[in-house]
Amino acid sequence: MPASDQVAHATPDPTSATPSATATPALELRDVTVRFGGVTALSAAGLRVAEHTVHGVIGPNGAGKTTLFNVACGFLRPDEGQVVRRGETLARLRPHRLASYGMSRTLQGLGLFDRLSVLDNVMVGADRHGRSGFLGTMLALPGATRDEDRLRERAMEALERLRIAEHARRYPPSLPYALRKRVALARALVAEPTLLLLDEPASGLSSEEMDELAALIGGLSGEMAVMLVEHHMDLVMKVCDRITVLDFGKVIADGSPAEVQQDPAVVAAYLGDDVADLDADTGPATDPATPTEA
Amino acid sequence: MQMLSRAWRHTLVRHATLAVLGLLVAVVVLMSVDDFRNRQLTELAYMALAAGGLTLLTGINGQISLGHGAFMAIGAYTTALLLQDPETALPLPLVLLASLLVALVVGVLVGVAAARLHGPYLAGATLTLAIAVPGIARYFSTTLGGEQGLRVTSPEPPAWFLDALFFLTGTEPSNSQYYAILGWTLLVVVFFLLANLIRGRVGRRWAAVRDDEVAAELAGINLARARVSAFTVSAAVAGLAGALMAIQIRLAAPTAFELTLSLTLLTAIVLGGLGTLSGAIIGSVVLVYTARIATDVGTAQGLDSIAAAELAPLVYGTVMILVILLAPAGLVGSLLRWRAARAARGADRRTTPPAARPTDPHHPDGPADQQRRPVATTKGDQP
Ligand SMILES: Nc1ncnc2c1ncn2[C@@H]1O[C@H](COP(=O)(O)OP(=O)(O)OP(=O)(O)O)[C@@H](O)[C@H]1O
Ligand SMILES: [Mg+2]
């Protein structure tokens, strides 16, 4: 695992940024439709996430972004359509099998285990690398103890990478929000996924913290493909290689950040909010994430 | 010195040392007190054992059980049946093992059903169990003895045990001392195994499922498997506790396993602090001894024995209310919390002051919880 200071390059190597159309994508969603009673949360939405790219998914509130993630993770079975991971159709995906497909996800909320220490939280994330079984653990056999040491080591590395190692023994509720978000990220990263799904990792972060996050995400594409749902447009425009725009459950645009920004359909979809939101230079002051109750 | 502290950090070394020390102290104490105290300490051992199993289920895995007394009943009746006829009685270790296994099997079945239930539904289902099991014992009066229950022919201490203790202490242990030493040995061994589970990968998964099932599932944990395994282990331990109880009171009868027993266990773990084994012991101590003391004080004050016995629940209730008011995390839980808070303050002094955001409404990003955007419709518990 590279040290934290190596992570700072935000632009990944250009060959991987423009994937050839023929390569097998890390994840492909084919014509996914999800209905909740009368609400069609996703309607024939499709996208391809190429290996080693950061793929943004944006759209106004309620556009279906989290639903899309839930389908990709097996929390929701789509009414129509398929989830294809590296060419393999995941027909009966269950969330607890996700890790074994090399996928990891952070939740839109925090989803931390509040009564486990920060270290234990991250060790749960590392669990898929564990080998010890029930009897070994119960009898504290040497193999199980070594296994436990290895998991702890991995977890500590992940905590160091996110520079929260000194909080390893603390409990999440005692940490400031930004640090808790990092714990959640460490827990997702420690599984060493090859596809990472981040649902609004920047919500609640200050602009410096967001810059740090951007550097981190940019650096991740060397190791894995990243799917990023985010409302902070400056972050999205900075780190994403490709962006899919959802509106009312439909894909209305798909392309490079520059293409998407100029797309008239996208501009129209965001008119309800504020066209300026799509401008990558907008500071956090006019951030679309700030609640704008109409 | 450094080597010692490194070894101490190893789960096995730490837990094994505590277990051996605990056992030594227990044997010394049990050999030096009279039969009356030994019987009291045996009661403490089986109550703490069952409370420890329940701690794992409710405290660590977050599944409530209002019916754990039922698994004790299953263990007790198994023991009684196997020890009925002194001629054909199995050796004690096999009897204990069988009681544990029968409770374990029932635990798997109930656990599979329980894994689908939450909160009040789970409470209701386990409550039914607590009421049904004594009912079943009453119904099958020919095999299970009905209201009278089954007499238990408690086994005599084996010769090697008498010899060994005579060699160590110079006195022959009485039967009461034998059961007390048996009980405390089981308590120490089982708690050693449970502590290993809780500290290790298995317990971490149980706790993760308790705290956030969506996140746990995403981390690769099979929720159903985690819940059923916690239920199974917990039921097996309760079965063993029930076997010990039957040997001690020489009887397996429905009245001993009414709902009160299940509620007493739950009270014990709440008193001690949900989620720690030491809390289970302390909670059991408080319950077993407050009951005695209350009854004794009552008799000394001139109450007749029935009225004196009724003081105990009153005292339980008062202690429970005091603990909930003064130390909501339970006795051990509050101590741990206080220590964690002190450690956190220390850590903050060493590093930068914590950002003020989570609760500070003046921070540019607003307080963490208000950061969530309003959504059009309720999403239920969608991840
Ligand atoms: N479990 C559910 N039951 C009913 N409706 C749902 C459910 N989950 C989502 N929806 C609806 O589906 C639509 C898409 O929701 P989703 O959470 O995917 O949006 P989103 O793009 O993630 O929004 P946000 O930016 O607010 O997180 C919304 O109209 C939402 O109300
Ligand atoms: Mg969402």
Side-chain angles (χ1 to χ4, degrees), chain A residues 61 66 70 75 94-96 98 107 111 113-116 120 123-124 127 130-132 134 137-138 140 145 148-149 151 170 176-177 187 200 204-206 209 231 289, chain B residues 10 12 193 196-197 199-202 204-205 207-208 210-212 214-222 233 344 348 351 355 357-358 365 368 370-374 382-383:
Chain A
N61 287 143
T66 299
N70 284 342
F75 277 114
R94 296 290 307 133
H96 70 262
L98 200 68
L107 294 164
F113 310 120
D114 281 349
R115 287 193 275 162
L116 288 180
D120 279 329
M123 284 175 81
V124 172
D127 196 75
R131 275 189 292 273
S132 62
F134 187 88
T137 309
M138 184 165 81
T145 311
E148 191 74 1
D149 290 344
L151 291 188
R170 297 192 42 180
Y177 189 73
R187 189 179 62 194
E200 305 201 18
L205 299 190
S206 70
E209 287 159 350
H231 281 278
Chain B
H10 261 264
L12 178 64
L193 299 176
N196 287 344
L197 280 178
R199 267 315 304 159
R201 195 173 166 214
V202 177
R204 205 166 41 236
R205 291 172 171 208
R210 168 199 65 197
D211 281 359
D212 191 319
V214 170
E217 213 175 357
L218 281 176
I221 298 173
N222 184 331
V233 174
D348 283 342
T351 60
R357 179 144 14 78
D365 283 332
Q370 290 167 27
Q371 181 65 19
R372 302 256 53 79
R373 272 172 308 286
Q382 171 210 22

Coordinates of all heavy atoms in Angstrom, one line a residue, chain A residues 61 66 70 75 94-96 98 107 111 113-116 120 123-124 127 130-132 134 137-138 140 145 148-149 151 170 176-177 187 200 204-206 209 231 289, chain B residues 10 12 193 196-197 199-202 204-205 207-208 210-212 214-222 233 344 348 351 355 357-358 365 368 370-374 382-383:
Chain A
N61 N -31.2 15.9 -6.4 CA -31.7 15.0 -5.3 C -32.9 14.1 -5.8 O -33.7 14.6 -6.6 CB -32.3 15.9 -4.2 CG -31.2 16.5 -3.4 OD1 -31.4 17.6 -2.9 ND2 -30.1 15.9 -3.2
T66 N -28.4 6.9 -5.4 CA -28.2 5.9 -4.3 C -28.9 4.6 -4.7 O -28.4 3.5 -4.5 CB -28.8 6.4 -3.0 OG1 -28.0 7.5 -2.6 CG2 -28.6 5.4 -1.9
N70 N -27.4 0.9 -4.8 CA -28.0 -0.3 -4.1 C -28.2 -1.4 -5.1 O -28.1 -2.6 -4.7 CB -29.4 0.2 -3.5 CG -29.2 1.0 -2.3 OD1 -28.1 1.0 -1.7 ND2 -30.2 1.7 -1.9
F75 N -28.4 -4.8 -2.8 CA -29.4 -4.5 -1.8 C -30.8 -4.4 -2.5 O -31.8 -4.6 -1.9 CB -29.2 -3.1 -1.1 CG -28.2 -3.2 0.0 CD1 -27.0 -2.6 -0.1 CD2 -28.6 -3.9 1.1 CE1 -26.1 -2.7 1.0 CE2 -27.7 -4.0 2.2 CZ -26.4 -3.4 2.1
R94 N -25.8 -10.9 -3.4 CA -26.2 -10.5 -2.1 C -25.1 -9.6 -1.5 O -24.0 -9.8 -1.8 CB -26.3 -11.8 -1.2 CG -27.4 -12.7 -1.6 CD -28.8 -12.2 -1.4 NE -29.0 -11.8 0.0 CZ -29.6 -10.6 0.3 NH1 -30.0 -9.8 -0.6 NH2 -29.7 -10.3 1.6
P95 N -25.6 -8.6 -0.8 CA -24.6 -7.6 -0.3 C -23.4 -8.2 0.4 O -22.2 -7.8 0.2 CB -25.4 -6.7 0.7 CG -26.8 -6.9 0.3 CD -26.9 -8.2 -0.3
H96 N -23.6 -9.3 1.2 CA -22.4 -9.8 1.9 C -21.5 -10.6 1.0 O -20.4 -10.9 1.4 CB -22.9 -10.7 3.1 CG -23.5 -12.0 2.7 ND1 -24.8 -12.2 2.6 CD2 -22.9 -13.2 2.3 CE1 -25.1 -13.5 2.2 NE2 -24.0 -14.1 2.0
L98 N -20.5 -9.1 -1.8 CA -19.9 -8.0 -2.5 C -18.4 -8.0 -2.4 O -17.6 -7.9 -3.4 CB -20.5 -6.7 -2.0 CG -20.3 -5.5 -2.9 CD1 -21.2 -5.6 -4.1 CD2 -20.7 -4.2 -2.1
L107 N -21.3 4.2 2.7 CA -22.7 4.6 2.7 C -22.9 6.1 2.7 O -22.0 6.9 3.0 CB -23.4 4.0 3.9 CG -23.4 2.5 4.0 CD1 -23.7 2.0 5.4 CD2 -24.5 2.0 3.0
G111 N -22.6 5.0 8.7 CA -22.6 3.5 8.8 C -21.5 3.0 9.6 O -21.0 1.9 9.3
F113 N -19.7 1.4 13.1 CA -20.1 0.6 14.3 C -19.7 1.4 15.5 O -18.5 1.4 15.9 CB -19.4 -0.8 14.2 CG -19.5 -1.4 12.9 CD1 -18.4 -1.8 12.1 CD2 -20.8 -1.7 12.4 CE1 -18.5 -2.4 10.9 CE2 -20.9 -2.4 11.1 CZ -19.8 -2.7 10.4
D114 N -20.7 2.0 16.1 CA -20.4 3.0 17.1 C -19.8 2.4 18.4 O -19.2 3.1 19.2 CB -21.7 3.8 17.5 CG -21.9 4.9 16.4 OD1 -21.0 5.1 15.6 OD2 -23.0 5.5 16.4
R115 N -20.1 1.2 18.7 CA -19.6 0.6 19.9 C -18.4 -0.3 19.7 O -18.0 -1.0 20.6 CB -20.7 -0.2 20.7 CG -21.7 0.8 21.3 CD -22.7 0.2 22.2 NE -23.8 -0.4 21.6 CZ -24.5 -1.4 22.1 NH1 -24.3 -1.8 23.3 NH2 -25.6 -1.9 21.4
L116 N -17.8 -0.2 18.5 CA -16.5 -0.8 18.3 C -15.5 0.4 18.1 O -15.8 1.4 17.6 CB -16.5 -1.6 17.0 CG -17.3 -2.9 17.0 CD1 -17.3 -3.6 15.7 CD2 -16.8 -3.8 18.1
D120 N -11.2 -1.5 15.4 CA -12.1 -2.7 15.2 C -13.1 -2.4 14.0 O -13.4 -3.3 13.2 CB -13.0 -3.0 16.4 CG -12.2 -3.8 17.4 OD1 -11.3 -4.6 17.0 OD2 -12.4 -3.7 18.6
M123 N -11.1 -3.2 11.1 CA -10.8 -4.6 11.1 C -12.0 -5.4 10.5 O -11.8 -6.4 9.8 CB -10.4 -5.2 12.4 CG -8.9 -4.8 12.8 SD -8.5 -5.3 14.4 CE -8.1 -7.1 14.2
V124 N -13.2 -4.9 10.8 CA -14.4 -5.5 10.2 C -14.3 -5.4 8.7 O -14.6 -6.3 7.9 CB -15.7 -4.9 10.7 CG1 -16.9 -5.4 9.9 CG2 -15.8 -5.2 12.2
D127 N -12.2 -8.0 7.1 CA -12.6 -9.3 7.5 C -12.5 -10.3 6.3 O -12.2 -11.5 6.5 CB -14.0 -9.3 8.0 CG -14.4 -10.6 8.7 OD1 -13.9 -10.8 9.8 OD2 -15.1 -11.5 8.1
G130 N -9.5 -12.4 6.3 CA -9.3 -13.3 7.5 C -9.5 -14.7 7.1 O -10.3 -15.0 6.2
R131 N -8.9 -15.6 7.8 CA -9.0 -17.0 7.5 C -9.5 -17.9 8.7 O -10.0 -19.0 8.5 CB -7.7 -17.6 6.9 CG -7.5 -17.4 5.5 CD -6.3 -18.1 5.0 NE -5.1 -17.6 5.5 CZ -4.4 -16.6 4.9 NH1 -4.9 -16.1 3.8 NH2 -3.3 -16.1 5.5
S132 N -9.3 -17.3 9.9 CA -9.5 -18.2 11.1 C -11.0 -18.4 11.2 O -11.9 -17.6 10.9 CB -9.0 -17.5 12.3 OG -9.7 -16.3 12.5
F134 N -14.4 -20.5 13.5 CA -15.0 -20.4 14.8 C -14.2 -21.1 15.9 O -13.9 -20.4 17.0 CB -16.4 -21.0 14.7 CG -17.2 -20.8 16.0 CD1 -18.0 -19.7 16.1 CD2 -17.2 -21.8 17.0 CE1 -18.8 -19.5 17.3 CE2 -18.0 -21.6 18.1 CZ -18.7 -20.5 18.3
T137 N -10.9 -19.4 16.7 CA -11.0 -18.2 17.5 C -11.4 -18.5 18.9 O -10.8 -17.9 19.9 CB -12.2 -17.3 16.9 OG1 -11.9 -17.2 15.5 CG2 -12.2 -16.0 17.6
M138 N -12.3 -19.5 19.1 CA -12.7 -19.8 20.5 C -11.6 -20.3 21.3 O -11.5 -20.0 22.5 CB -13.9 -20.8 20.4 CG -14.5 -21.1 21.8 SD -16.1 -21.9 21.6 CE -15.5 -23.6 21.3
A140 N -8.5 -19.7 20.7 CA -7.3 -18.8 20.5 C -6.1 -19.6 20.1 O -5.0 -19.4 20.6 CB -7.0 -18.0 21.8
T145 N -4.6 -16.5 16.2 CA -4.0 -15.3 16.7 C -3.1 -14.6 15.7 O -3.2 -13.3 15.6 CB -3.1 -15.7 17.9 OG1 -3.9 -16.5 18.8 CG2 -2.6 -14.5 18.7
E148 N -5.4 -12.8 13.3 CA -5.9 -11.6 13.9 C -4.8 -10.5 13.9 O -5.1 -9.3 13.6 CB -6.2 -11.9 15.4 CG -7.0 -10.9 16.2 CD -8.4 -10.7 15.8 OE1 -8.9 -11.5 14.9 OE2 -9.1 -9.9 16.3
D149 N -3.5 -10.8 14.1 CA -2.5 -9.9 14.0 C -2.3 -9.3 12.6 O -2.1 -8.1 12.4 CB -1.1 -10.5 14.4 CG -1.1 -10.8 15.9 OD1 -1.9 -10.3 16.6 OD2 -0.2 -11.6 16.3
L151 N -4.8 -9.0 10.4 CA -5.9 -8.1 10.1 C -5.6 -6.8 10.8 O -5.9 -5.7 10.2 CB -7.2 -8.7 10.7 CG -7.8 -9.9 9.9 CD1 -9.1 -10.3 10.5 CD2 -7.8 -9.7 8.4
R170 N -10.0 5.0 19.8 CA -11.2 5.7 20.2 C -12.4 5.1 19.5 O -12.4 4.3 18.7 CB -11.0 7.2 19.7 CG -9.8 7.8 20.5 CD -9.7 9.2 20.4 NE -10.9 10.0 20.5 CZ -10.9 11.3 20.5 NH1 -9.7 11.9 20.3 NH2 -12.0 12.0 20.5
P176 N -14.7 14.0 15.6 CA -15.4 14.9 14.7 C -15.9 14.3 13.4 O -15.3 13.3 13.0 CB -14.4 16.0 14.5 CG -13.1 15.6 15.1 CD -13.3 14.3 15.9
Y177 N -16.9 14.9 12.8 CA -17.5 14.2 11.7 C -16.5 13.9 10.5 O -16.6 12.8 10.0 CB -18.6 15.2 11.1 CG -19.5 14.6 10.1 CD1 -20.4 13.6 10.4 CD2 -19.4 15.0 8.8 CE1 -21.2 13.0 9.5 CE2 -20.2 14.4 7.8 CZ -21.1 13.4 8.2 OH -21.9 12.9 7.2
R187 N -12.3 1.9 6.2 CA -12.9 0.6 6.3 C -13.2 0.0 4.9 O -13.2 -1.2 4.7 CB -14.2 0.7 7.1 CG -14.8 -0.7 7.5 CD -16.1 -0.5 8.3 NE -17.1 0.2 7.5 CZ -18.2 0.7 8.1 NH1 -18.4 0.5 9.4 NH2 -19.1 1.3 7.4
E200 N -21.4 10.0 -1.8 CA -21.2 11.3 -1.2 C -20.2 11.4 -0.1 O -20.4 11.7 1.1 CB -22.6 11.8 -0.6 CG -23.6 11.8 -1.7 CD -24.8 12.7 -1.3 OE1 -24.7 13.6 -0.5 OE2 -25.9 12.5 -2.0
G204 N -20.4 17.3 4.3 CA -20.0 17.6 5.6 C -18.5 18.0 5.8 O -18.0 18.2 6.9
L205 N -17.8 18.0 4.7 CA -16.3 18.3 4.8 C -16.1 19.8 4.5 O -16.8 20.4 3.7 CB -15.5 17.5 3.8 CG -15.5 16.0 4.0 CD1 -14.5 15.3 3.1 CD2 -15.3 15.6 5.4
S206 N -15.0 20.3 5.1 CA -14.7 21.7 4.8 C -13.9 21.7 3.5 O -13.6 20.7 3.0 CB -13.7 22.2 5.9 OG -12.5 21.6 5.8
E209 N -10.6 20.0 3.6 CA -10.7 18.5 3.7 C -11.1 17.9 2.4 O -10.8 16.8 2.0 CB -11.8 18.2 4.8 CG -11.3 18.4 6.2 CD -12.4 18.6 7.2 OE1 -13.6 18.7 6.8 OE2 -12.1 18.6 8.4
H231 N -22.4 15.6 -4.7 CA -23.1 16.8 -5.1 C -22.1 18.0 -5.3 O -22.5 19.0 -5.9 CB -24.1 17.2 -4.1 CG -25.4 16.4 -4.2 ND1 -26.4 16.7 -5.1 CD2 -25.8 15.3 -3.6 CE1 -27.3 15.8 -5.0 NE2 -27.0 14.9 -4.1
A289 N -24.8 21.3 -2.4 CA -25.1 20.4 -1.3 C -25.7 21.2 -0.1 O -26.3 20.5 0.8 CB -23.8 19.8 -0.8
Chain B
H10 N -1.3 -10.5 23.9 CA -1.8 -11.6 23.2 C -3.1 -12.2 23.9 O -3.0 -12.5 25.1 CB -0.8 -12.7 23.1 CG -0.1 -12.7 21.7 ND1 -0.5 -13.4 20.7 CD2 0.9 -11.9 21.3 CE1 0.2 -13.1 19.6 NE2 1.0 -12.2 19.9
L12 N -4.6 -15.0 23.9 CA -4.6 -16.3 24.6 C -3.9 -16.1 25.9 O -4.3 -16.6 27.0 CB -3.8 -17.3 23.7 CG -3.7 -18.6 24.3 CD1 -5.0 -19.3 24.6 CD2 -2.8 -19.5 23.5
L193 N -13.5 -19.3 27.0 CA -13.8 -19.5 25.6 C -14.6 -18.4 25.0 O -14.4 -17.9 23.9 CB -14.5 -20.8 25.4 CG -13.7 -22.1 25.9 CD1 -14.6 -23.3 25.8 CD2 -12.5 -22.3 25.0
N196 N -12.5 -15.3 24.4 CA -11.7 -15.5 23.1 C -12.6 -15.2 21.9 O -12.2 -14.5 21.0 CB -11.2 -16.9 23.0 CG -10.1 -17.2 23.9 OD1 -9.5 -16.3 24.5 ND2 -9.8 -18.5 24.1
L197 N -13.8 -15.7 21.9 CA -14.7 -15.4 20.8 C -15.0 -14.0 20.7 O -14.9 -13.4 19.6 CB -16.1 -16.2 21.0 CG -16.1 -17.7 20.7 CD1 -17.5 -18.2 21.1 CD2 -15.8 -17.9 19.3
R199 N -13.4 -11.3 21.8 CA -12.2 -10.5 21.4 C -11.8 -10.8 20.0 O -11.0 -10.0 19.4 CB -11.0 -10.8 22.3 CG -10.9 -10.0 23.6 CD -11.0 -8.5 23.3 NE -10.2 -7.9 22.3 CZ -10.4 -6.8 21.7 NH1 -11.5 -6.1 21.9 NH2 -9.6 -6.3 20.8
G200 N -12.2 -11.9 19.4 CA -11.6 -12.2 18.1 C -12.6 -11.9 17.0 O -13.5 -11.0 17.1
R201 N -12.3 -12.5 15.8 CA -13.0 -12.2 14.6 C -14.5 -12.4 14.7 O -15.3 -11.6 14.2 CB -12.4 -13.1 13.5 CG -12.8 -12.7 12.2 CD -12.0 -13.6 11.2 NE -12.5 -13.4 9.9 CZ -12.5 -14.4 9.0 NH1 -12.1 -15.6 9.3 NH2 -13.0 -14.2 7.8
V202 N -14.9 -13.5 15.4 CA -16.3 -13.9 15.5 C -17.1 -12.8 16.3 O -18.1 -12.4 15.9 CB -16.4 -15.3 16.3 CG1 -17.9 -15.6 16.5 CG2 -15.7 -16.3 15.5
R204 N -16.2 -9.7 16.8 CA -16.3 -8.5 16.1 C -17.4 -8.4 15.1 O -18.1 -7.4 14.9 CB -14.9 -8.3 15.4 CG -14.6 -6.8 15.2 CD -13.1 -6.6 14.8 NE -12.6 -7.6 13.9 CZ -11.6 -8.4 14.2 NH1 -10.9 -8.2 15.3 NH2 -11.2 -9.3 13.3
R205 N -17.6 -9.6 14.4 CA -18.7 -9.7 13.5 C -20.0 -9.5 14.2 O -20.9 -8.8 13.7 CB -18.7 -11.0 12.8 CG -17.5 -11.1 11.8 CD -17.6 -12.6 11.4 NE -16.6 -12.8 10.3 CZ -16.8 -13.7 9.4 NH1 -17.9 -14.5 9.4 NH2 -15.9 -13.9 8.4
A207 N -20.7 -8.0 16.9 CA -20.9 -6.6 17.3 C -21.2 -5.7 16.1 O -22.0 -4.8 16.2 CB -19.7 -6.1 18.1
A208 N -20.6 -6.0 15.0 CA -20.8 -5.2 13.8 C -22.3 -5.3 13.4 O -22.9 -4.3 13.1 CB -19.9 -5.6 12.7
R210 N -24.7 -6.0 15.3 CA -25.5 -5.2 16.3 C -25.6 -3.7 15.9 O -26.6 -3.1 15.9 CB -24.9 -5.5 17.7 CG -25.5 -4.5 18.7 CD -24.6 -4.4 19.9 NE -23.3 -3.8 19.6 CZ -22.2 -3.9 20.3 NH1 -22.2 -4.6 21.4 NH2 -21.1 -3.3 19.9
D211 N -24.4 -3.2 15.6 CA -24.3 -1.7 15.5 C -24.9 -1.2 14.2 O -25.5 -0.1 14.1 CB -22.8 -1.3 15.6 CG -22.4 -1.2 17.0 OD1 -23.2 -1.5 17.9 OD2 -21.2 -0.9 17.3
D212 N -24.7 -1.9 13.1 CA -25.2 -1.4 11.8 C -25.2 -2.6 10.8 O -24.2 -3.0 10.2 CB -24.3 -0.3 11.2 CG -24.9 0.4 10.1 OD1 -25.5 -0.3 9.2 OD2 -24.8 1.6 10.0
V214 N -26.5 -2.9 7.8 CA -26.2 -2.6 6.4 C -24.7 -2.6 6.2 O -24.2 -3.2 5.3 CB -26.9 -1.3 6.0 CG1 -26.4 -0.9 4.6 CG2 -28.4 -1.5 6.0
A215 N -24.0 -1.8 7.0 CA -22.6 -1.7 6.9 C -21.9 -3.1 7.1 O -20.9 -3.4 6.5 CB -22.0 -0.7 7.9
A216 N -22.4 -3.8 8.1 CA -21.8 -5.2 8.3 C -22.0 -6.1 7.1 O -21.0 -6.7 6.7 CB -22.5 -5.8 9.5
E217 N -23.1 -6.0 6.5 CA -23.4 -6.8 5.3 C -22.4 -6.4 4.2 O -21.8 -7.3 3.5 CB -24.8 -6.7 4.9 CG -25.4 -7.9 4.3 CD -26.9 -7.8 4.0 OE1 -27.5 -6.7 4.3 OE2 -27.4 -8.8 3.4
L218 N -22.2 -5.1 4.0 CA -21.3 -4.6 3.0 C -19.9 -5.1 3.2 O -19.1 -5.2 2.3 CB -21.4 -3.1 2.9 CG -22.6 -2.5 2.2 CD1 -22.6 -1.0 2.3 CD2 -22.6 -2.9 0.7
A219 N -19.6 -5.3 4.5 CA -18.2 -5.7 4.8 C -18.0 -7.2 4.6 O -17.0 -7.8 4.9 CB -17.8 -5.3 6.3
G220 N -19.1 -7.9 4.2 CA -19.0 -9.3 3.8 C -19.5 -10.2 4.9 O -19.3 -11.4 4.9
I221 N -20.2 -9.7 5.9 CA -20.8 -10.5 7.0 C -22.1 -11.0 6.6 O -23.0 -10.2 6.2 CB -20.8 -9.7 8.3 CG1 -19.4 -9.3 8.7 CG2 -21.5 -10.5 9.4 CD1 -19.4 -8.4 9.9
N222 N -22.3 -12.3 6.7 CA -23.6 -12.9 6.5 C -24.5 -12.7 7.7 O -24.2 -13.3 8.8 CB -23.4 -14.4 6.1 CG -24.7 -15.1 5.8 OD1 -25.8 -14.7 6.2 ND2 -24.6 -16.1 5.0
V233 N -24.6 -20.4 20.5 CA -23.6 -20.4 21.5 C -24.2 -20.0 22.9 O -24.1 -20.7 23.9 CB -22.4 -19.4 21.2 CG1 -21.5 -19.3 22.4 CG2 -21.7 -19.9 20.0
A344 N -9.7 9.5 25.8 CA -9.9 10.4 24.6 C -9.5 11.8 25.0 O -8.9 12.5 24.1 CB -11.4 10.4 24.3
D348 N -6.7 13.9 22.9 CA -6.9 15.2 22.3 C -5.9 16.2 22.7 O -5.5 17.1 21.9 CB -8.3 15.7 22.8 CG -9.4 15.1 22.0 OD1 -9.1 14.5 20.9 OD2 -10.6 15.1 22.5
T351 N -2.8 15.6 20.5 CA -2.9 16.0 19.1 C -3.6 17.3 19.0 O -3.6 18.1 19.9 CB -3.7 14.9 18.3 OG1 -5.0 14.9 18.8 CG2 -3.0 13.6 18.3
A355 N -12.0 19.2 15.8 CA -12.8 20.2 15.1 C -14.2 20.4 15.8 O -14.7 19.4 16.3 CB -13.0 19.8 13.7
R357 N -17.0 21.0 14.5 CA -18.2 20.9 13.7 C -19.3 20.0 14.1 O -20.5 20.5 14.0 CB -17.7 20.4 12.3 CG -19.0 20.3 11.3 CD -18.6 20.7 9.9 NE -17.2 20.8 9.8 CZ -16.4 19.7 9.6 NH1 -17.0 18.6 9.6 NH2 -15.2 19.9 9.4
P358 N -19.1 18.8 14.6 CA -20.3 18.0 14.7 C -21.5 18.6 15.4 O -22.6 18.3 15.0 CB -19.8 16.8 15.5 CG -18.3 16.8 15.5 CD -17.9 18.2 15.1
D365 N -20.2 24.5 7.4 CA -20.9 23.4 6.8 C -22.1 23.0 7.6 O -22.8 22.0 7.3 CB -20.0 22.1 6.7 CG -19.0 22.3 5.5 OD1 -19.4 23.0 4.6 OD2 -17.9 21.8 5.6
A368 N -23.3 18.3 11.6 CA -23.2 17.1 10.8 C -24.6 16.6 10.4 O -24.9 16.3 9.3 CB -22.4 16.0 11.5
Q370 N -27.5 18.0 10.3 CA -28.3 18.9 9.5 C -27.8 19.0 8.1 O -28.3 19.6 7.2 CB -28.5 20.3 10.1 CG -29.3 20.2 11.3 CD -29.2 21.5 12.1 OE1 -28.9 22.5 11.6 NE2 -29.4 21.4 13.4
Q371 N -26.6 18.4 7.9 CA -26.0 18.4 6.6 C -26.8 17.6 5.5 O -26.7 17.9 4.4 CB -24.6 17.9 6.7 CG -23.7 17.9 5.5 CD -23.5 19.2 5.0 OE1 -23.6 20.2 5.8 NE2 -23.1 19.4 3.7
R372 N -27.5 16.6 6.0 CA -28.3 15.8 5.1 C -29.3 16.7 4.3 O -30.0 17.5 4.9 CB -29.1 14.7 5.8 CG -28.2 13.8 6.6 CD -28.0 12.5 5.9 NE -27.5 12.6 4.6 CZ -26.3 12.9 4.3 NH1 -25.4 13.0 5.2 NH2 -25.9 13.0 3.0
R373 N -29.3 16.5 3.0 CA -30.3 17.2 2.3 C -31.7 16.7 2.5 O -31.9 15.5 2.7 CB -30.0 17.1 0.8 CG -29.0 18.2 0.3 CD -28.6 17.8 -1.1 NE -28.1 16.4 -1.2 CZ -27.0 16.1 -0.7 NH1 -26.2 16.9 -0.1 NH2 -26.6 14.8 -0.7
P374 N -32.7 17.6 2.4 CA -34.0 17.0 2.5 C -34.4 16.2 1.3 O -33.9 16.4 0.2 CB -34.9 18.3 2.5 CG -34.1 19.4 1.9 CD -32.6 19.0 2.2
Q382 N -33.6 2.4 3.9 CA -32.8 2.1 2.7 C -31.4 2.4 3.0 O -31.1 3.4 3.6 CB -33.4 3.0 1.6 CG -32.5 3.0 0.3 CD -32.6 4.3 -0.4 OE1 -32.9 5.3 0.2 NE2 -32.3 4.3 -1.7
P383 N -30.4 1.6 2.6 CA -29.0 1.9 2.9 C -28.5 3.2 2.1 O -29.0 3.4 1.0 CB -28.3 0.7 2.3 CG -29.2 0.0 1.4 CD -30.6 0.4 1.9

